[in-house]
Amino acid sequence: MTVLNPDTDAVLQTTYQKSVAAYWNNNPNDDRVNTKLGEVDGLYHHHYGIGEPDLSVLDGPQDTREKRIVEELHRLETAQAQLLLDHLGPVRPDQRLMDGGSGRGGTSFMANQRFGCQVDGVTISEYQVRFANEQAEQRGVADKVRFHFRNMLETGFEPGSMRGIWTNETTMYVDLFDLFREFSRLLEPGGRYVCITGCSNDVTGGRSSSVSWIDAHYGCMIHPRGEYFRAMAANNLVPIEVIDLTPDTIPYWELRTKSELATGVERPFLTAYQEGSFQYLLIAADKVGR
């Protein structure tokens, strides 16, 4: 049973936020996937993968087949995180980054290893905060990488304190206008925001049963693609690059159907991507003005 922090009511301000936090604090089925993949090298991700898988992992001895598939899925997820970090631009060791919806910290640790800078992870799951901070201690980077039980819509960090911010498959849990208002407040002038997300096709996504299935499974609110750009424009965030990663993520999902870790969500994802009602996007945007 989860013991709530005294600050819980200040962080989790709505019934919906409390339900999302409870899901990630207590859901053993989805966390089973993240846990098994994270055990490969100690980087625990809460997102999906991109790139061409090595399908030779499906061949060879049957008793090690699942291990090979898990390692390959983890490699593709780490490749996705590397691509996100590539788009943050130059970051100096004396600058600061924020991971919005940081999960158990995989990408935050990768960012610190790459840039040598301070990274603050923010999540509304108290379990994830504890797990990730323990990881930081074990890795010897707790002075640089810290995880906070805070709401990314209202972090409490100082205005202009962040050189860069990213979200990796977490924006579907929040209102985008509220989120980007807070991110614009936090970013220094010229600071960079990078988002990787699944989003619905503005024309057909609302009618897709597969998109509705994904929403229901994760208890989230998948946004139309156009909503991202409207919310950015309203909050002084100017997109400098937009990449459709849909073709790059489909092979990951196809491989995941071959794993014993498959949860049943694989087919709706594949159907939604293949029918065009759902897209996997990377958006990099710079803050303009103050």
Side-chain angles (χ1 to χ4, degrees):
M1 180 177 178
T2 302
V3 178
L4 295 181
N5 186 300
D7 296 329
T8 296
D9 287 339
V11 175
L12 307 177
Q13 299 174 2
T14 68
T15 300
Y16 175 68
Q17 290 172 5
K18 291 174 182 176
S19 71
V20 172
Y23 179 93
W24 290 111
N25 283 333
N26 302 310
N27 190 294
N29 190 39
D30 284 308
D31 205 45
R32 178 176 65 99
V33 180
N34 299 321
T35 299
K36 197 67 178 177
L37 270 61
E39 288 172 353
V40 171
D41 63 3
L43 282 174
Y44 290 83
H45 298 305
H46 280 267
H47 57 78
Y48 306 124
I50 58 169
E52 284 299 323
D54 178 2
L55 295 180
S56 69
V57 300
L58 301 175
D59 304 322
Q62 188 65 29
D63 60 338
T64 58
R65 182 176 186 268
E66 180 63 14
K67 178 176 181 291
R68 295 192 302 273
I69 293 173
V70 166
E71 290 175 348
E72 187 63 3
L73 289 171
H74 182 68
R75 183 184 72 81
L76 297 175
E77 290 191 337
T78 298
Q80 189 259 40
Q82 294 283 15
L83 181 69
L84 186 154
L85 295 177
D86 289 344
H87 285 81
L88 281 172
V91 179
R92 300 193 310 268
D94 62 332
Q95 293 178 315
R96 188 178 179 189
L97 301 174
M98 192 185 92
D99 183 350
S102 50
R104 288 193 283 176
T107 309
S108 293
F109 294 122
M110 291 171 63
N112 169 258
Q113 185 176 38
R114 179 183 293 206
F115 302 118
C117 64
Q118 179 177 335
V119 182
D120 289 280
V122 173
T123 173
I124 60 173
S125 166
E126 294 177 88
Y127 158 71
Q128 291 176 349
V129 170
R130 289 193 298 270
F131 185 100
N133 278 325
E134 289 171 3
Q135 285 274 297
E137 291 284 353
Q138 293 167 13
R139 291 171 174 272
V141 294
D143 60 327
K144 284 280 194 175
V145 186
R146 305 182 183 95
F147 299 91
H148 310 267
F149 176 55
R150 299 191 187 189
N151 192 319
M152 64 180 176
L153 298 178
E154 191 177 333
T155 63
F157 294 137
E158 302 83 2
S161 58
M162 302 296 172
R163 171 67 184 86
I165 297 173
W166 73 85
T167 53
N168 201 347
E169 299 180 18
T170 58
T171 50
M172 61 286 297
Y173 290 100
V174 296
D175 179 271
L176 294 179
F177 287 84
D178 292 342
L179 181 69
F180 295 159
R181 184 180 305 114
E182 174 68 352
F183 286 0
S184 183
R185 185 185 73 84
L186 293 173
L187 284 169
E188 65 182 33
R192 175 72 51 83
Y193 167 59
V194 181
C195 169
I196 293 183
T197 188
C199 57
S200 60
N201 182 302
D202 289 80
V203 177
T204 64
R207 300 194 299 271
S208 169
S209 60
S210 294
V211 172
S212 297
W213 199 99
I214 296 167
D215 256 346
H217 179 79
Y218 289 110
C220 61
M221 305 172 292
I222 293 169
H223 302 291
R225 173 178 174 142
E227 190 81 352
Y228 283 87
F229 301 103
R230 288 189 290 272
M232 286 183 182
N235 289 287
N236 299 323
L237 295 171
V238 178
I240 61 168
E241 190 166 10
V242 180
I243 304 174
D244 184 357
L245 296 175
T246 306
D248 300 297
T249 196
I250 287 175
Y252 163 87
W253 286 101
E254 290 174 335
L255 179 61
R256 193 165 134 166
T257 65
K258 311 292 186 184
S259 171
E260 295 170 6
L261 293 173
T263 63
V265 77
E266 293 78 14
R267 183 49 53 190
F269 268 96
L270 282 168
T271 299
Y273 284 138
Q274 290 164 346
E275 72 185 10
S277 62
F278 195 51
Q279 293 174 303
Y280 199 49
L281 288 190
L282 182 149
I283 307 170
D286 285 348
K287 178 186 174 180
V288 297
R290 293 195 168 273

